[in-house]
Amino acid sequence: LSRLFSDTIPSLKLEPTMRRRGGLTVTAHTPISRTKRSRHRKLSLIRTFYASLTAATPKRLELAALAAILFGGAILLAMSMCSSSNAINSSATRNKGSLRQLSAQVRDLSTVQGLIIHTHLGDIRIHFTPELAGESSIKYIMDVVQAVSGKRNNVCQKCIFYRVEKQQLLEGIIADESVPENKVLGPCPDPNYIPPKKCPNNGPDCGCHGPIMTKGMVAWSHHTGNGGGPDFIINTNEKPVDYWGGHHTVWGEIRDDISLKVVESAEELPIDVQRTIQTGMIMLEEEIEFSFELF
């Protein structure tokens, strides 16, 4: 067919005609019109194509059909591979963009307002309070978020709630093995506080590292480690907790009722009686795993 279509048809052909002049029959040649030439060309192509089909054996027809199927399949496969490649490249571009955005947030503390903790009970929205804790505690949390962001769909294996004291607190831990523990405690907010003469290196203010905690404040737990994490508590006391004094480094605060209700709903969960007796603290029967994100 390629040869047939590539043939050149002359721009002018002569058609023999029969005319009678003075009793004689004379053969003359006259130019063929454009319409006739087009019709002759089409008829010639049809006749040639039909002749090629009728001359083809069943075996040739079978091979031609198989070749057409294989050719069509190759085209579909190529289109599918191109589509998959585009989808992968698009997904990779989105993921790289998200990681770049997260990395930019982690580098610049001023662009981050707080932490959202996702649990099966609901979300807990915590606003950071660097004015109370200093930048070290906030930086530690953001480093953990960044370290976990590429693992297990943002689920941290060392991020759980494990203890609950009714109308007092919910306690958990936020940590990752790749992030060193925070050892810097918060400054003392009381300008009139007079510290003792001898204080430990990690606590130059000797027990004054934050304000008197009120409901919704989030701080590093003081009964584990040096008071700089990774265990933390969410205060659910209705009144200011004067007997805690200023021992806790307060790095966050819950400011909405929905988040507080999520925290308080943990008080209704079953407790582990044996561990509660052993530790003297009310321990959950099943720890609450959580994921998180910055906002």
Side-chain angles (χ1 to χ4, degrees):
L1 289 177
S2 63
R3 289 199 306 272
L4 291 174
F5 280 98
S6 63
D7 288 346
T8 303
I9 297 177
S11 60
L12 180 65
K13 289 186 178 180
L14 298 180
E15 179 185 49
T17 59
M18 304 298 293
R19 297 181 181 177
R20 294 183 63 83
R21 292 182 179 177
L24 297 175
T25 300
V26 181
T27 300
H29 293 273
T30 58
I32 302 175
S33 66
R34 287 181 177 271
T35 303
K36 286 186 177 182
R37 285 205 306 272
S38 177
R39 185 163 56 249
H40 287 177
R41 181 185 180 187
K42 291 178 181 178
L43 290 174
S44 175
L45 290 175
I46 292 172
R47 284 196 295 269
T48 304
F49 182 67
Y50 179 75
S52 66
L53 289 179
T54 55
T57 63
K59 185 65 175 178
R60 289 181 180 178
L61 291 175
E62 181 180 346
L63 291 175
L66 179 60
I69 292 173
L70 292 176
F71 182 70
I75 292 176
L76 291 177
L77 179 60
M79 292 174 64
S80 176
M81 292 178 65
C82 289
S83 177
S84 299
S85 177
N86 290 337
I88 292 173
N89 291 337
S90 178
S91 177
T93 301
R94 288 194 302 268
N95 290 339
K96 288 180 180 179
S98 298
L99 290 176
R100 283 196 298 268
Q101 183 179 8
L102 178 60
S103 298
Q105 285 184 335
V106 171
R107 286 194 298 268
D108 187 359
L109 301 181
S110 64
T111 63
V112 180
Q113 298 182 41
L115 180 73
I116 300 176
I117 294 178
H118 304 290
T119 75
H120 72 279
L121 300 174
D123 292 346
I124 303 171
R125 193 178 186 91
I126 302 173
H127 291 261
F128 288 145
T129 55
E131 68 277 8
L132 299 177
E135 290 189 354
S136 180
S137 292
I138 311 302
K139 182 67 166 56
Y140 167 80
I141 296 170
M142 297 173 72
D143 287 344
V144 172
V145 173
Q146 185 182 34
V148 176
S149 62
K151 306 175 186 178
R152 302 176 297 276
N153 296 323
N154 287 344
V155 176
C156 175
Q157 291 182 340
K158 291 186 177 182
C159 300
I160 56 172
F161 289 110
Y162 59 86
R163 174 192 174 199
V164 60
E165 303 284 348
K166 196 167 186 178
Q167 295 183 350
Q168 290 188 39
L169 59 87
L170 176 64
E171 185 169 7
I173 181 173
I174 178 170
D176 186 84
E177 62 274 7
S178 65
V179 180
E181 292 185 4
N182 171 59
K183 296 182 180 181
V184 180
L185 305 182
C188 182
D190 184 359
N192 299 320
Y193 178 76
I194 301 176
K197 293 182 179 180
K198 294 183 179 181
C199 297
N201 293 331
N202 67 326
D205 291 329
C206 285
C208 181
H209 304 291
I212 300 297
M213 292 188 66
T214 57
K215 187 174 183 178
M217 282 188 172
V218 185
W220 296 127
S221 175
H222 201 265
H223 76 271
T224 58
N226 70 340
D231 296 71
F232 67 100
I233 59 173
I234 301 177
N235 180 28
T236 57
N237 284 275
E238 293 294 336
K239 297 180 180 181
V241 192
D242 295 325
Y243 58 89
W244 284 353
H247 288 277
H248 298 88
T249 299
V250 178
W251 55 263
E253 183 180 19
I254 296 175
R255 299 173 183 172
D256 64 286
D257 293 336
I258 296 177
S259 295
L260 282 172
K261 288 181 179 179
V262 172
V263 174
E264 292 171 339
S265 67
E267 298 176 356
E268 307 302 323
L269 297 176
I271 64 172
D272 187 326
V273 177
Q274 184 176 356
R275 291 178 61 209
T276 297
I277 294 174
Q278 290 174 348
T279 62
M281 299 180 292
I282 301 178
M283 312 297 287
L284 291 170
E285 185 175 78
E286 292 186 7
E287 296 170 341
I288 304 173
E289 296 182 351
F290 61 80
S291 61
F292 40 59
E293 63 176 307
L294 302 173
F295 71 90

